């Protein structure tokens, strides 16, 4: 995230050489815990004793911990880390848990997502180390045992059965991956592992921080946030298994696979190992002699294993472009016919290219087909609580919105996240974060401290570990080695060496900003904002954050949630302040002084729509404003993607979601409720889309499907706010190609007789059979928003005069009828259909009519996916909207649908 003016699963071999006790893990993360989309504390699982299997190649995740502050533990480390230690008064914690996440799960503090409760949590409790303690049992000791982990924030001493096996200097950095050979310490029966976890200071350590996204947690996320695994194996270990793919492009007729792994002799005597493997129906084997304690890279390639040259391979595509098939690699190392170790890797076959175009912008292509990156910036839960279902729900929302990419600036999620991205066809752009220690060496006057000699190997090991963990995921299309700033020559060479050692298969990007690094060169990206309010016409200018090039993070800032969510996250007094006092610091916005208030946003809301008359009116106007602005952002980038000069190549909405209850930077809120921002994005990114251009009044058809379209009819009609028609024209025979092609169907005149200052534009696209395939309604003004480009700041461009949309306030109230019904499927899903109709007898449309699925108490049922929503209907028009959701989320209630709109009275109807 650009905050100031820019003066502004495995561990690779490279990391092992750094002496950080770092090697790879072959296990997927084991299950979810803690909280999902609700913010209230849940009961944490107790620290159960973990039964470790003895099978060679097995990995078993510790099932949980008991934790306690070192300020309250007077016993020695040897005692704490020995079996039988009582740990009385300690808190149970899940298998992946920060300190504060565990305390919240145990009910120690009130819901930190409500009001200012989080401020009441004492930070002093987290300025000392905390103990994490867990017991595991081993039935026999004939196999070797290893402790395998990453995700320690920020560092730790590690003990097993009373003995220290690693120091904090060794286990430093939240991304470094470690494998400790604990064979000599493990006994049959109960064993104990203990971590003395150090406090986290993101400005001083290469860990994770929250920048200006939200109010940072009091513990700064200290803890263990990835699984700690106990691995078993024989005399020869297999590590670093992966597959390098080379796809024939553009034919896609064949693919060459190269399988690599390291075979490591763990004994003091020479051995001969047999390494064998399979990919699908193809098998291969090699005999590998190993001297005492020797490690060799074992390679299988089409030259020696012809079955690894695949004919007609199953190619992985992003969603909407094709399927998402995955392959599996299985390897076994045997000694004297006895299995010693096994490993499994999933991988996909695809090719990613991202050269710089003639304008210097990065242009991505997948399997030879160019695509516009349409993405959002990802935030994990503020307390780093992993919940697979909650993550999956958000990724499904991304698909529902027509997005194809998620950017992770730091906070790189565990393996399951990327497994889900692979499954759903969602591209990912992981990279290091800005504005703390990660860019401390190059960040000018920002807060991250300069690096010391000890930081360089930690950074390189972090890169090696993440590269090895992510390289086989086809959803990962780049790694951004810088964010606001590109690394210097030394840091970049270290990163690139680690990536090369890991056989990193996709483009490496120097920074998310318009920066260059000594080796990689230009980033091909821009980070010109904005991050606060700008009008919709801003996005059409080919300058600053407008629709040209690749904008790695940008939005019009605040995204006010629905009234339902606001009442869940703020006190009545805070809600009163929200709409009455724009200059007041909002705790649920940002800790940054730049983004502390809603002053810019509220001034625009009042200037364009009129002063709010109450909380409900404020939220109503906010949803309208957010719909038009988010829609314009994505539409501008979609329209300009095929321009011959300065085309748009990528846009990342800042942000896709928030890690807590927020008033800004989110397309949906913490509870997965959807408002104007969500449905504006969904409208802009629909597969076949008709849209209006704020800059030149053109009516454009954009085809996001692969197949071409022909025989289309585009119609635009202009209305005064009383519903009287003032202009109507149609273009027939509209044809265009696929993959983001666009065609200008017609242009609205600059002056239309009798048009009111505030007016409506209805755009309708029909296919060759006369079926409506896209409808888009705009509220516009004959007086456009005026931007002061000369006084642009890094976070926004000032608006000197606002478009006059106040005429919307005089729209007549119109009746909308609704009827709904629900069907329950056998898969645990339900579907509610609601038909809404404008039953008015006059001319006035119902503007932005919203349907909300609620239970018998009026509480929103979430998550939910609507076929369409926030629709505008003229008298006599009707549409049927479909909501799909988990039946269990009704909690036994009967579904109901609450219908409301800009000029429509709220009503709730049953949906039996």
């Amino acid at each position: 995230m650009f905050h100031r003016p820019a003066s502004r699963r495995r561990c690779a071999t490279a990391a092992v050489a750094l002496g950080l006790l770092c090697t790879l893990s072959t296990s997927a993360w084991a299950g979810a815990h803690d909280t999902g989309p609700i913010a209230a504390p849940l009961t944490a699982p107790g620290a159960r004793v973990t039964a470790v299997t003895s099978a060679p190649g097995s990995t078993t995740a510790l099932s949980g911990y008991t934790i306690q502050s070192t300020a309250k533990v007077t016993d020695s480390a040897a005692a704490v880390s020995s079996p039988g230690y009582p740990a009385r008064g300690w808190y149970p914690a899940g298998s992946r848990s920060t300190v504060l996440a565990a305390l919240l799960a145990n009910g120690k503090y009130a819901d930190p997502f409500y009001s200012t409760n989080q401020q009441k949590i004492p930070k002093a409790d987290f300025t000392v180390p905390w103990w994490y303690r867990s017991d595991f049992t081993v039935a026999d000791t004939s196999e070797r045992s290893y402790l395998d982990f990453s995700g320690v924030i920020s560092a730790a001493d590690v003990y097993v059965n009373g003995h220290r096996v690693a120091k904090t200097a060794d286990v430093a950095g939240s991304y470094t991956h470690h494998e400790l050979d604990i064979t000599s310490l493990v006994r049959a029966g109960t064993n104990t592992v203990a971590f003395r976890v150090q406090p986290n200071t993101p400005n001083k350590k290469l860990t994770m921080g929250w920048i200006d996204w939200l109010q940072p947690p009091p513990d700064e996320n200290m803890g263990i946030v990835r699984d700690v695994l106990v691995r078993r194996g024989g005399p020869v270990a297999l590590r670093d298994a992966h597959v390098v793919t080379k796809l024939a492009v553009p034919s896609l007729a064949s693919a060459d696979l190269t399988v690599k792994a390291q075979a490591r002799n763990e004994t003091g005597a020479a051995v001969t190992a047999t390494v064998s493997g399979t990919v699908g129906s193809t098998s291969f084997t090699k005999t590998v002699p190993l001297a005492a304690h020797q490690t060799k890279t074992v390679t299988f390639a089409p030259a020696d294993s012809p079955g690894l040259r695949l004919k007609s391979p199953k190619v992985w595509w992003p969603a909407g472009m094709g399927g998402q098939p995955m392959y599996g690699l299985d390897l076994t190392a045997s000694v004297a016919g006895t299995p010693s170790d096994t490993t499994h890797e999933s991988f996909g076959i695809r090719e990613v290219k991202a050269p710089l175009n003639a304008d210097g912008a990065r242009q991505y292509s997948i399997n030879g087909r160019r695509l516009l990156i349409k993405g959002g910036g990802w935030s994990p839960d503020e307390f780093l609580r992993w919940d697979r279902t909650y993550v999956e729900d958000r990724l499904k929302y991304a698909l529902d919105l027509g997005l194809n990419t998620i950017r992770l600036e730091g906070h790189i999620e565990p393996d399951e996240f990327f497994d889900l991205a692979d499954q759903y066809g969602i591209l990912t752009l992981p990279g290091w974060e800005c504005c703390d220690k990660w860019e401390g060496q190059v960040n000018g006057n920002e807060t991250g401290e300069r690096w010391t000699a000890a930081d360089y190997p930690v950074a390189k090991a972090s890169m090696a570990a993440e590269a090895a963990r992510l390289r086989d995921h086809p959803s990962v299309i780049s790694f951004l080695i810088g964010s606001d700033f590109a690394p210097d020559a030394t840091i970049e060479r270290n990163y690139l060496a680690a990536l090369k050692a890991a056989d990193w298969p996709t483009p490496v990007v120097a920074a998310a900003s318009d920066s260059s690094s000594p080796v990689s060169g230009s980033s091909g990206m821009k980070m010109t904002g904005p991050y606060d309010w700008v009008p919709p016409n801003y996005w059409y200018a080919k300058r600053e954050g407008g629709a040209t090039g690749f904008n790695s993070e940008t939005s019009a800032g605040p995204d006010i949630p629905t009234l339902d969510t606001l009442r869940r996250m703020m006190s009545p007094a805070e809600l009163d302040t929200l709409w009455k006092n724009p200059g007041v610091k909002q705790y649920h916005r940002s800790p940054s002084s730049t983004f502390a208030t809603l002053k810019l946003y509220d001034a625009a809301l009042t200037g364009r729509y009129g002063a709010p008359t109450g909380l409900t009116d404020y939220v109503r106007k906010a949803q309208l404003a957010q719909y038009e602005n988010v829609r314009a952002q994505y539409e501008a980038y979609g329209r300009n993607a095929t321009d011959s000069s300065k085309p748009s190549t990528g846009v990342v909405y800042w942000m896709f979601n928030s890690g807590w209850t927020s008033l800004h930077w989110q397309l949906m809120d913490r509870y997965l409720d959807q408002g104007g921002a969500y449905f504006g994005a969904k409208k802009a990114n629909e597969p076949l889309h008709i849209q209006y251009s704020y800059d030149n009044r053109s009516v454009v058809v954009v085809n996001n499907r692969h197949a071409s379209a022909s025989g289309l009819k585009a119609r635009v009609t202009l209305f005064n706010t009383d519903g009287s028609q003032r202009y109507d024209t149609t273009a027939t025979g509209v044809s265009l190609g696929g993959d983001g092609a666009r065609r200008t169907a017609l242009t609205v005149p600059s002056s239309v007789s009798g048009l009111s200052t505030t007016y409506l534009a209805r755009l309708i696209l029909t296919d060759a059979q006369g079926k409506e395939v896209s409808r888009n309604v705009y509220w516009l003004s004959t007086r456009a928003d005026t931007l002061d480009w000369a006084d642009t700041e890094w976070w926004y461009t000032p608006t000197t005069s606002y478009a006059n949309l106040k005429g919307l306030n005089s729209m007549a109230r119109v009746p909308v009828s609704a009827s709904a019904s629900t069907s329950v499927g056998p898969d645990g899903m339900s579907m509610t259909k609601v038909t809404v109709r404008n039953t008015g007898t006059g001319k006035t449309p119902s503007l932005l009519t919203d349907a909300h699925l609620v239970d018998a108490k009026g509480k929103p049922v979430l998550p939910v996916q609507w076929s369409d929503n926030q629709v505008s209907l003229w008298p006599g028009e009707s549409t049927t909207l479909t909501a799909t959701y988990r039946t269990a989320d009704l909690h036994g209630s009967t579904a109901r649908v609450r219908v409301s709109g800009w000029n429509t009275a709220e009503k709730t109807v049953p949906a039996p």
Side-chain angles (χ1 to χ4, degrees), residues 500-523:
K500 182 179 180 180
D503 292 319
W504 185 254
T506 60
V508 177
V509 179
S513 61
D514 183 9
S515 302
S516 293
S517 58
V519 182
S520 301
S522 173
S523 69

Side-chain angles (χ1 to χ4, degrees), residues 833-855:
K833 291 185 177 181
V834 55
T835 299
V836 291
R837 180 184 299 273
N838 182 337
T839 57
T841 57
K843 298 179 180 180
T844 308
S846 60
L847 182 63
L848 223 66
T849 302
D850 176 88
H852 247 71
L853 186 75
V854 298
D855 61 18

Side-chain angles (χ1 to χ4, degrees), residues 51 107 186 226 255 283-284 308 426 447 510 528 677 746 865:
V186 170
R226 293 181 180 175
S283 58
F284 36 87
L308 293 176
I426 300 172
T447 55
T528 46
L746 48 88
Q865 288 195 13

Side-chain angles (χ1 to χ4, degrees), residues 400-524:
D400 184 52
L401 289 172
L403 304 185
N404 56 28
T405 304
I406 291 294
R407 179 183 166 214
L408 299 97
E409 185 194 1
H411 301 94
I412 305 174
E413 295 276 36
D415 288 353
E416 293 101 323
F417 177 90
F418 297 96
D419 291 338
L420 289 168
D422 294 342
Q423 175 185 338
Y424 288 113
I426 300 172
L427 304 175
T428 63
L429 287 170
W432 304 127
E433 66 194 52
C434 85
C435 312
D436 56 21
K437 183 70 171 188
W438 282 102
E439 293 185 339
Q441 200 68 0
V442 293
N443 70 2
N445 296 323
E446 294 195 8
T447 55
E449 290 188 357
R450 295 281 174 148
W451 289 19
T452 67
D455 294 313
Y456 289 87
V458 172
K460 186 175 182 180
S462 299
M463 185 74 266
E466 289 303 286
R469 188 173 72 93
L470 299 178
R471 63 192 163 196
D472 279 338
H473 288 284
S475 58
V476 179
I477 58 169
S478 272
F479 200 96
L480 279 65
I481 56 175
S483 180
D484 290 19
F485 301 89
D488 65 22
T490 301
I491 297 171
E492 184 183 21
R493 283 194 294 268
N494 285 342
Y495 284 157
L496 294 178
L499 288 159
K500 182 179 180 180
D503 292 319
W504 185 254
T506 60
V508 177
V509 179
S513 61
D514 183 9
S515 302
S516 293
S517 58
V519 182
S520 301
S522 173
S523 69

Side-chain angles (χ1 to χ4, degrees), residues 74-98:
T74 58
D75 299 308
S76 67
V80 168
S81 61
S82 294
Y85 181 76
R88 294 188 184 92
W90 289 38
Y91 299 96
S95 59
R96 310 173 198 174
S97 180
T98 66

Side-chain angles (χ1 to χ4, degrees), residues 562-569 673 852 854 858-860 898:
T562 63
L563 195 54
D564 294 293
T565 291
L566 286 171
R567 286 172 171 156
R568 291 180 71 176
M569 62 184 267
D673 205 355
H852 247 71
V854 298
K859 179 181 178 181
R898 185 179 68 213

Side-chain angles (χ1 to χ4, degrees), residues 5 18 47 98 198 223 253 298 344 360 377 446 480 489 493 497 516 546 700 796 877 888:
L18 299 172
T98 66
Q198 299 297 312
V298 184
H344 173 82
E446 294 195 8
L480 279 65
R493 283 194 294 268
S516 293
V700 176
Y796 88 120
E877 289 185 333

